[in-house]
Amino acid sequence: MIAYIENPITEQKYQRLSELGKDLKVPSMGAFLTVEVFDDQGRPLYAHKQRSHSWNRNAYNWFLCQVALVTRHNTFFGDGALTVKDISGTIHADYAGTIGWNGRLDTAFPYLAAAGQTNQGILVGSGTSPEDFDGHALGSLIGNGTGAGTLTYQAGNKQTAVWNSSTDTFSIEWLRYFNNNSGGAIDVNEVALVGRLHCFASSVWYQNVMFCRDVLASTITVPDTGQLKVTYIIELAYPE
Amino acid sequence: MTDMSYTEKPETEELYREMERLGQELKVPVPSSFLKVEVFKDGHNIYAHKQRSHSWNRNAYNWFFSQFGSASALGTTFEAGALTIKETSGTIRNDNSRGIGIGTRRTTARCIEDVNDTTDNFGYRVTAGTDDFSILVGISNTPEDFNHYSLQSQATHGSGSGQLDHAQTEPPVKSWDGTTRMFAVDWVRFFNNNSAGDIDINEVALVGGIYAPFYTSYDYGRMVMVCRDVLASPVTLPDTGQLKVTYTIGLVFP
């Protein structure tokens, strides 16, 4: 059983936003996050679901560049600029294409990471610093491995959108497993979604860009030999 | 000089603002879209109104969901439950290995904001005379439909009866308002009536040269209508008059 821990007052606001979007035909993207922990026998030890609260400046700039079909504006990363800051802190502001995913057959999905990859897809960390709209990376990334303080990052799976005809909603789940073979318990405090997208420049087509970082309400401990499962669900309600 | 009247109904305007406030508070991007229609005759502004654009359509929704969800096309139809694109020609694009949107540019020498012609097909900005994408206008008052993929009766380019000379799309104007925290982009296009008769404009559309997934070459986009606004009443463009249409697309930042 997964506990839904969203504050009822904010949940009401999210639902109102979705209703308004349907009524007015204005798309507003919903995002949920589930975090589950299993023991070495696959038995559930912990599970919760919440709203993801943290589309950041990168995500906003991505959205506006797509919907308005424009390229970058200014060269800094802040109010009044349309740029991207990748997870290394580099700002991308070339005057060329826009920000987005064009889904080439020979390139990966933005959120689809390979096993061991810690610069794309769902990432986790131990940092507790508050979410920041201008944040571009996890506060303290938990690395891939089997040494102390590391988790073994599994590969993501290609996902397919699902249509719910009762709610007129498209949703898609991106999930990732992390195995703890470090010899000790590991505390997880933050989760992020990092996409690999075109960001203006043609010489280096893809950049790894964090679009949301959720700081968990309380620390989640993954025991030694345990498994962590993190799922981001992105949805859009249609005005059918 | 005619004052620009804001024709949005107060009750719906309040709902749009409520939605923008909630989006800002919850950090959920909510696009704002406005439409301005102006008419000039002999250099004088004889008509002007501004309203909300009410009509992001299925193409737009599928585009946005594909981008943010990293979702590839699904299904072969263009209806609820299908994640496809319907071009203005009526062709449905649905290659299930690709996403919808633009992620690159045509060549190293061209920008998405540069003027494009029908061999490039990227973005909203086109050459004079191009009437298959960018801002387009028409004479039909058929109600807006979420599934519409083209104008219902387009006023094509030309100087014959019922036609309009389509000017080049203006370069986009980007602005940041630190008070409202809105980043806005204005897309403008002029249309000149040299048809020797009046033309009643009833519908306006935004058609993007969007890289719809589904194509084996990534060198050019497909023409995709993402919104179509039917005007509350016909706007008459007199002979030798000029029509100016502005779409303002914005986002209120947290």
Side-chain angles (χ1 to χ4, degrees):
Chain A
M1 186 69 177
I2 297 180
Y4 189 63
I5 64 168
E6 191 63 41
N7 179 306
I9 295 169
T10 54
E11 176 60 25
Q12 202 169 24
K13 291 179 180 178
Y14 281 109
Q15 290 184 9
R16 174 66 177 159
L17 181 61
S18 181
E19 287 165 9
L20 285 169
K22 288 186 74 165
D23 288 348
L24 299 172
K25 288 198 280 189
V26 176
S28 72
M29 217 66 60
F32 296 88
L33 169 66
T34 63
V35 180
E36 298 164 85
V37 179
F38 304 92
D39 68 13
D40 60 359
Q41 302 299 310
R43 291 174 296 217
L45 299 174
Y46 177 86
H48 90 255
K49 181 177 181 180
Q50 63 174 79
R51 295 273 181 173
S52 169
H53 307 123
S54 58
W55 293 118
N56 62 12
R57 187 179 298 283
N58 281 324
Y60 270 69
N61 289 352
W62 173 20
F63 191 83
L64 186 56
C65 278
Q66 280 288 319
V67 67
L69 288 180
V70 289
T71 188
R72 69 100 172 97
H73 187 66
N74 288 323
T75 55
F76 57 90
F77 187 69
D79 287 349
L82 281 181
T83 57
V84 160
K85 188 182 258 190
D86 69 24
I87 55 173
S88 72
T90 302
I91 297 170
H92 297 278
D94 183 33
Y95 182 75
T98 187
I99 310 168
W101 173 53
N102 71 2
R104 292 281 311 279
L105 280 168
D106 54 352
T107 55
F109 284 71
Y111 304 143
L112 190 62
Q117 191 174 0
T118 58
N119 64 359
Q120 185 180 356
I122 295 170
L123 309 179
V124 296
S126 58
T128 56
S129 58
E131 294 160 9
D132 180 352
F133 186 64
D134 288 319
H136 64 278
L138 282 171
S140 182
L141 173 73
I142 294 172
N144 175 64
T146 55
T150 63
L151 291 168
T152 304
Y153 283 58
Q154 302 298 295
N157 292 315
K158 181 180 172 182
Q159 299 296 312
T160 302
V162 174
W163 176 254
N164 183 328
S165 58
S166 300
T167 59
D168 297 326
T169 299
F170 252 129
S171 65
I172 189 166
E173 292 187 2
W174 289 98
L175 61 90
R176 198 169 194 186
Y177 289 94
F178 307 81
N179 296 319
N180 184 359
N181 297 311
S182 70
I186 293 179
D187 288 343
V188 175
N189 288 299
E190 54 180 344
V191 183
L193 191 57
V194 174
R196 190 164 182 258
L197 293 181
H198 289 283
C199 295
F200 309 118
S202 64
S203 55
V204 182
W205 277 27
Y206 295 100
Q207 308 296 340
N208 295 73
V209 182
M210 187 178 81
F211 297 112
C212 60
R213 169 180 172 264
D214 287 285
V215 176
L216 304 178
S218 57
T219 300
I220 291 171
T221 300
V222 185
D224 183 36
T225 72
Q227 184 179 60
L228 173 69
K229 177 185 179 185
V230 178
T231 308
Y232 270 102
I233 303 163
I234 298 167
E235 67 173 32
L236 181 60
Y238 281 54
E240 300 290 354
Chain B
M1 182 70 178
T2 299
D3 288 337
M4 178 78 70
S5 59
Y6 189 63
T7 62
E8 194 61 42
K9 281 188 273 187
E11 54 268 34
T12 53
E13 177 63 22
E14 182 51 40
L15 295 176
Y16 281 109
R17 291 187 181 184
E18 180 186 357
M19 191 174 180
E20 287 162 1
R21 281 195 302 271
L22 282 170
Q24 187 177 34
E25 177 186 344
L26 299 171
K27 287 198 277 187
V28 175
V30 173
S32 300
S33 184
F34 296 90
L35 170 64
K36 284 193 291 192
V37 179
E38 298 166 85
V39 177
F40 301 88
K41 171 75 173 173
D42 300 326
H44 300 289
N45 183 200
I46 60 173
Y47 177 84
H49 91 260
K50 180 179 179 180
Q51 62 173 81
R52 295 272 182 175
S53 169
H54 307 122
S55 59
W56 294 116
N57 61 12
R58 186 179 300 285
N59 277 327
Y61 270 69
N62 287 353
W63 171 23
F64 302 154
F65 180 70
S66 174
Q67 278 290 313
F68 265 62
S70 179
S72 55
L74 183 70
T76 57
T77 58
F78 186 70
E79 61 185 350
L83 195 56
T84 57
I85 283 287
K86 197 170 198 175
E87 297 175 25
T88 51
S89 66
T91 300
I92 296 171
R93 298 285 176 185
N94 68 332
D95 183 321
N96 66 6
S97 296
R98 295 175 180 230
I100 304 164
I102 288 185
T104 185
R105 56 178 163 162
R106 170 72 169 84
T107 71
T108 54
R110 303 288 292 272
C111 171
I112 189 174
E113 293 177 4
D114 289 344
V115 175
N116 288 282
D117 55 27
T118 51
T119 60
D120 264 340
N121 301 352
F122 269 170
Y124 290 140
R125 192 169 173 222
V126 298
T127 54
T130 299
D131 66 358
D132 46 11
F133 69 119
S134 186
I135 295 172
L136 305 177
V137 298
I139 61 173
S140 171
N141 60 8
T142 303
E144 293 160 10
D145 185 327
F146 188 60
N147 289 315
H148 275 162
Y149 57 90
S150 65
L151 285 169
Q152 298 302 287
S153 183
Q154 186 182 351
T156 57
H157 171 71
S159 55
S161 177
Q163 292 185 312
L164 293 170
D165 281 324
H166 289 48
Q168 173 178 303
T169 318
E170 298 292 305
V173 175
K174 303 168 194 168
S175 59
W176 168 255
D177 184 328
T179 304
T180 62
R181 299 196 57 73
M182 178 177 280
F183 201 117
V185 177
D186 284 351
W187 283 103
V188 175
R189 195 171 194 191
F190 290 94
F191 304 83
N192 295 308
N193 183 0
N194 297 312
S195 72
D198 293 354
I199 297 177
D200 287 343
I201 305 299
N202 283 295
E203 54 180 342
V204 182
L206 193 56
V207 178
I210 294 172
Y211 177 87
F214 348 120
Y215 211 66
T216 52
S217 164
Y218 60 94
D219 275 352
Y220 55 93
R222 314 306 297 176
M223 292 156 198
V224 180
M225 187 178 81
V226 293
C227 63
R228 169 180 173 267
D229 288 287
V230 175
L231 305 179
S233 57
V235 173
T236 300
L237 182 58
D239 181 37
T240 72
Q242 185 180 58
L243 175 70
K244 178 184 180 185
V245 178
T246 306
Y247 269 104
T248 301
I249 299 169
L251 199 54
V252 177
F253 279 60

